[in-house]
Amino acid sequence: MTGTPGVSGQDQPVADPRDYVEGGLILIGCSQSGRELAPECIELALANRHGLVTGATGTGKTVTLQVLAEGFSAAGVPVFAADIKGDLSGIAEKGSPLPKLVARAQEIGLTRYGNTSFPVAFWDVFGNDGHPVRATVQEMGPLLLSRLLELTEPQEGVLNIAFRWAADEREAGDDQMVIRDLKDLRSIIDEMGKRASSLRSKYGHIAPATVGVIQRRLLVLEEQGADRFFGEPALDIMDFLKTAPDGRGVVNILAADKLMNTPRLYATFLLWLLTELFERLPEVGDLEKPKLVFLFDEAHILFNDAPKSVLEQVERVTRLIRSKGVGVYYVTQSPNDVPDRVSAQLGNRIQHALRAFTPREQKAIRAAAQTFRPNPELDTERVIQELTVGEALVSLLHGKGEPSMVQRTLIRPPMSRVGPLTPEERKRIIEADADNRRKYAQTLDRESAFERLQSRNTTVGQLKERLSRFSNLIRGKG
């Protein structure tokens, strides 16, 4: 590291975000080394080794997320970020030279500090504050859906049978037995309940009580608005990997303020996104910079009461997705919110202040301090409690992947707006995003399992099904 990106002798502010990206480094902030300022930078080549941003409410995590998103965008790396409070949306508009931000820039020697906006695409599961995000039930799969429905192991077994039976029906020649939305799944479950005796020999016992529980859980899910998420056109995950005409990465912002009212849906949705990225992207090894950086806010929700199978999937995806060129940054209040097996994969760490009012909180601070590479000049445990808003303890990967010694760091001020967009500003940006609007605005309702089972349960439909199966049998013998 030969210098600090963004630090210059020029007096005239030039609002160029590339000032903070030089030599494969993204400036996060500056620490003090004696009387000299020392840059704290994420190395782009190691940004896919993931990261962890933690700190109590009100200590500056959201602004740090904004700084991370700005830096990666300026480096040409697309970003996906969940916007829990709506504040992150301000990255789409040019900021103002607020006195406290200008003072912070001067304090850490950013004499070229100025303001600008960044390219943004807005998304929303409910389709109100961004382009609709949809997935088919079949893409979600029984594992994640079971967690979303909070099913027991026997109930999960019946849900697995539903997916297996639909797949067998497709293999038998009924191509439309696809589970695209919740009404498809409800129809499948209902039909299985009616055919339980005939299906038992091949798939196992299907208890009527279990069918009833799953149907009730699906009804609750619909009432929470999840029926707007399941359907078509399904999201093409590659639409998150776009760059603007000027080469900056597009910052994909998920409006998550309403989604957080159903935290299990929020966590399941983001885990599905990660899994889709993992399954869709090819192996690329270590690149000069990531293909995408994924900022997972309120990450503790992902791990709360998660069954072993889900935790194993999170660990596996986190461990292996870096070879697909994706960096995942979990954001939460305490490092203890993330299981050790996942935390061990998170090399870049930014710790904002924690407060200790109880023995349990003091223990958490002690554990947080122990996750850093020690600095003989810092009492890490004490400093965690002394950090002011916008300060953080920072340890980042350098060289061959070794963590730097922890440093007390002033986070650089954002160049974009600190605070949310107005509804009018958001609407204008969504309408200007013609490609995504054209692709996702209109819901599709193609023939699928719901329509097929309705047809089958008519007299004509039953006759056609018998004839179809007889024809398949004849062809098979031929």
Side-chain angles (χ1 to χ4, degrees):
M1 197 181 307
T2 58
T4 306
V7 176
S8 167
Q10 297 178 14
D11 295 325
Q12 200 66 16
V14 178
D16 188 346
R18 289 169 296 187
D19 283 348
Y20 303 107
V21 183
E22 295 178 7
L25 304 175
I26 296 176
L27 179 70
I28 301 301
C30 289
S31 59
Q32 198 82 25
S33 178
R35 295 184 178 182
E36 299 295 324
L37 290 169
E40 300 299 330
C41 301
I42 289 180
E43 289 195 18
L44 281 168
L46 297 173
N48 66 331
R49 307 295 176 90
H50 311 318
L52 181 64
V53 181
T54 51
T57 301
T59 57
K61 292 197 303 295
T62 301
V63 171
T64 297
L65 286 185
Q66 193 166 340
V67 167
L68 285 172
E70 287 184 359
F72 284 117
S73 175
V77 178
V79 175
F80 174 87
D83 191 9
I84 301 296
K85 297 177 292 185
D87 290 348
L88 201 56
S89 64
I91 197 171
E93 289 292 331
K94 180 179 178 180
S96 302
L98 302 175
K100 63 179 181 180
L101 299 182
V102 173
R104 170 58 58 87
Q106 292 173 346
E107 189 175 0
I108 61 178
L110 303 184
T111 53
R112 294 205 303 265
Y113 175 69
N115 299 109
T116 191
S117 61
F118 289 79
V120 167
F122 287 110
W123 304 89
D124 183 4
V125 166
F126 303 111
N128 298 320
D129 295 323
H131 303 292
V133 182
R134 303 183 190 91
T136 66
V137 172
Q138 201 157 291
E139 287 174 329
M140 178 70 74
L143 174 63
L144 293 183
L145 199 59
S146 294
R147 201 226 170 173
L148 186 56
L149 296 171
E150 301 182 63
L151 300 182
T152 63
E153 190 171 333
Q155 293 161 357
E156 183 180 347
V158 171
L159 188 65
N160 274 284
I161 291 173
F163 279 80
R164 182 67 261 172
W165 179 55
D168 288 346
E169 290 293 295
R170 293 194 298 276
E171 289 177 10
D174 194 341
D175 295 338
Q176 301 306 318
M177 279 292 285
V178 181
I179 312 175
R180 291 195 170 97
D181 52 28
L182 291 183
K183 73 176 186 295
D184 289 331
L185 183 57
R186 288 174 65 87
S187 297
I188 292 274
I189 298 292
D190 182 59
E191 189 72 12
M192 282 171 45
K194 294 174 182 176
R195 299 190 184 196
S197 57
S198 62
L199 295 175
R200 182 183 299 116
S201 61
K202 183 174 183 180
Y203 299 103
H205 182 58
I206 303 169
T210 301
V211 169
V213 169
I214 295 174
Q215 293 287 41
R216 287 193 295 274
R217 296 284 173 84
L218 287 171
L219 183 61
V220 170
L221 200 60
E222 287 180 1
E223 290 175 347
Q224 292 174 344
D227 57 325
R228 299 171 70 179
F229 166 59
F230 289 108
E232 292 184 310
L235 173 71
D236 180 356
I237 209 77
M238 304 307 288
D239 284 332
F240 286 165
L241 276 65
K242 292 180 178 178
T243 54
D246 63 3
R248 289 183 295 168
V250 172
V251 181
N252 297 277
I253 295 181
L254 175 72
D257 49 343
K258 297 183 184 67
L259 188 58
M260 280 298 294
N261 293 330
T262 52
R264 196 171 290 269
L265 176 58
Y266 168 78
T268 305
F269 167 66
L270 290 194
L271 179 54
W272 169 76
L273 281 183
L274 275 178
T275 305
E276 280 289 291
L277 285 166
F278 174 69
E279 293 177 350
R280 287 282 307 278
L281 295 177
E283 291 277 344
V284 293
D286 290 327
L287 303 172
E288 291 184 359
K289 61 184 180 183
K291 287 185 174 182
L292 177 74
V293 166
F294 196 105
L295 305 177
F296 199 138
D297 203 358
E298 299 292 343
H300 65 280
I301 295 172
L302 179 62
F303 306 107
N304 288 350
D305 303 319
K308 182 181 178 183
S309 57
V310 171
L311 290 177
E312 288 174 348
Q313 182 172 357
V314 175
E315 180 195 0
R316 182 175 68 94
V317 170
T318 304
R319 185 177 71 252
L320 299 177
I321 201 171
R322 76 177 185 88
S323 65
K324 308 293 184 88
V326 177
V328 183
Y329 288 70
Y330 291 104
V331 184
T332 186
Q333 292 201 8
S334 169
N336 289 345
D337 294 337
V338 181
D340 289 345
R341 290 187 303 176
V342 176
S343 183
Q345 312 295 326
L346 312 179
N348 297 294
R349 292 177 176 255
I350 301 174
Q351 173 70 65
H352 288 275
L354 292 174
R355 310 301 179 209
F357 301 107
T358 67
R360 183 179 178 182
E361 290 171 335
Q362 291 171 351
K363 185 178 179 180
I365 288 175
R366 194 172 305 116
Q370 291 170 352
T371 63
F372 288 103
R373 178 183 168 188
N375 182 341
E377 297 181 3
L378 285 181
D379 181 344
T380 308
E381 187 176 335
R382 176 178 57 80
V383 172
I384 287 178
Q385 301 174 72
E386 295 177 348
L387 294 169
T388 59
V389 175
E391 270 192 306
L393 287 171
V394 172
S395 175
L396 304 169
L397 298 180
H398 294 304
K400 296 182 179 180
E402 66 275 9
S404 62
M405 285 194 301
V406 62
Q407 298 289 350
R408 185 170 184 167
T409 302
L410 290 172
I411 303 299
R412 76 161 179 85
M415 303 179 75
S416 53
R417 181 188 297 176
V418 177
L421 297 184
T422 65
E424 294 75 21
E425 289 170 331
R426 182 188 288 266
K427 182 179 179 182
R428 172 175 52 79
I429 292 170
I430 293 169
E431 290 180 348
D433 188 356
D435 288 345
N436 286 325
R437 187 159 50 85
R438 189 182 308 112
K439 192 170 183 178
Y440 297 109
Q442 297 300 319
T443 305
L444 296 179
D445 191 10
R446 295 189 288 165
E447 183 178 354
S448 50
F450 173 76
E451 288 80 13
R452 290 297 301 123
L453 290 173
Q454 273 194 328
S455 174
R456 282 188 186 185
N457 288 326
T458 65
T459 303
V460 174
Q462 290 171 358
L463 179 59
K464 285 182 176 179
E465 182 181 0
R466 292 193 194 103
L467 289 171
S468 173
R469 291 186 182 279
F470 182 73
S471 299
N472 289 338
L473 180 62
I474 296 297
R475 283 197 297 268
K477 286 182 178 180

